[in-house]
Amino acid sequence: GGEIPMDVRLGAGQLVSEELMTLGESLSQTSDPSLKLFQCAVCNRFTTDNLDVLGMHMGAERSLPEEEWRAVVGDSHQCKLCHYTTQLKANFQLHCKTDKHVQKYQLVAHIKEGGKGNEWRLKCVAIGNPVHLKCNACDYYTNSLEKLRMHTVNSRHEASLKLYKV
């Protein structure tokens, strides 16, 4: 479906260096997200005029402090994100490698990048794939970089873009 791949790649399969992504993020984080054309609707902090840079932002590896998602209570290993508990450490390690866990972990870490004002979104994590991306010119929301890319070539977007960039 419209899932965004974990490792967003540019043309010819080249991965972008972390330094470039960090530069792109620092240039694109703003107190007024509406100034740029595209916005990440997960963290609500990242904006850019470039879809490839937005793709890099969405595909970036994120991390959480261990105490926010993992607990050991007695002889039980618990994943607070997935509500998974086991007494076997090996099973817990296997759980942490499942797609379900990795995706939820990355999503929670990404939401938390948005700060305290964005944490209400954590309640929506269990619901499934939330809206991830926004075109500020058209107020168009989607859950896929490809759908956003297709949106940018339609005539409604072109018309809104002319008004937006005035």
Side-chain angles (χ1 to χ4, degrees), residues 10 21-22 25 28 38-39 47 49 69 74 95 103 119 125 130 142 146 158 166:
L10 297 178
M21 274 204 57
T22 304
E25 286 190 27
S28 298
F38 305 113
Q39 179 177 344
T47 64
D49 287 327
W69 67 275
H95 162 77
Q103 288 171 359
E119 289 195 3
V125 168
T142 182
E146 206 42 52
E158 294 291 334
V166 171

Side-chain angles (χ1 to χ4, degrees), residues 4-160:
I4 296 173
M6 292 299 277
D7 60 338
V8 176
R9 296 173 189 269
L10 297 178
Q14 75 193 79
L15 285 170
V16 175
S17 73
E18 197 171 313
E19 293 83 14
L20 182 59
M21 274 204 57
T22 304
L23 174 66
E25 286 190 27
S26 62
L27 290 175
S28 298
Q29 285 196 358
T30 173
S31 58
D32 183 3
S34 64
L35 295 177
K36 300 280 185 178
L37 185 57
F38 305 113
Q39 179 177 344
C40 171
V42 177
C43 65
N44 268 327
R45 291 181 59 173
F46 184 85
T47 64
T48 181
D49 287 327
N50 183 310
L51 282 172
D52 291 329
V53 173
L54 182 62
M56 291 185 310
H57 168 77
M58 295 305 293
E61 281 238 353
R62 294 170 165 86
S63 61
L64 289 169
E66 201 166 284
E67 64 274 6
E68 288 188 22
W69 67 275
R70 181 180 188 162
V72 178
V73 180
D75 59 355
S76 292
H77 300 270
Q78 298 176 341
C79 173
K80 298 177 191 176
L81 300 176
C82 304
H83 306 289
Y84 174 81
T85 302
T86 181
Q87 293 183 335
L88 298 173
K89 187 174 184 176
N91 284 357
F92 187 80
Q93 290 168 331
L94 285 173
H95 162 77
C96 292
K97 293 178 180 163
T98 63
D99 285 345
K100 178 186 170 198
H101 172 83
V102 170
Q103 288 171 359
K104 191 171 279 193
Y105 177 94
Q106 289 296 316
L107 181 58
V108 168
H110 194 171
I111 289 170
K112 286 185 171 242
E113 280 178 17
K116 287 277 182 214
N118 203 40
E119 289 195 3
W120 65 271
R121 292 176 181 278
L122 294 171
K123 293 178 177 69
C124 304
V125 168
I127 296 168
N129 191 18
V131 172
H132 290 303
L133 307 169
K134 178 185 177 192
C135 170
N136 284 326
C138 304
D139 213 26
Y140 170 79
Y141 291 86
T142 182
N143 62 358
S144 141
L145 190 62
E146 206 42 52
K147 288 178 189 170
L148 187 58
R149 200 176 297 279
M150 288 172 58
H151 161 79
T152 63
V153 297
N154 78 36
S155 56
R156 180 176 167 260
H157 172 78
E158 294 291 334
S160 295

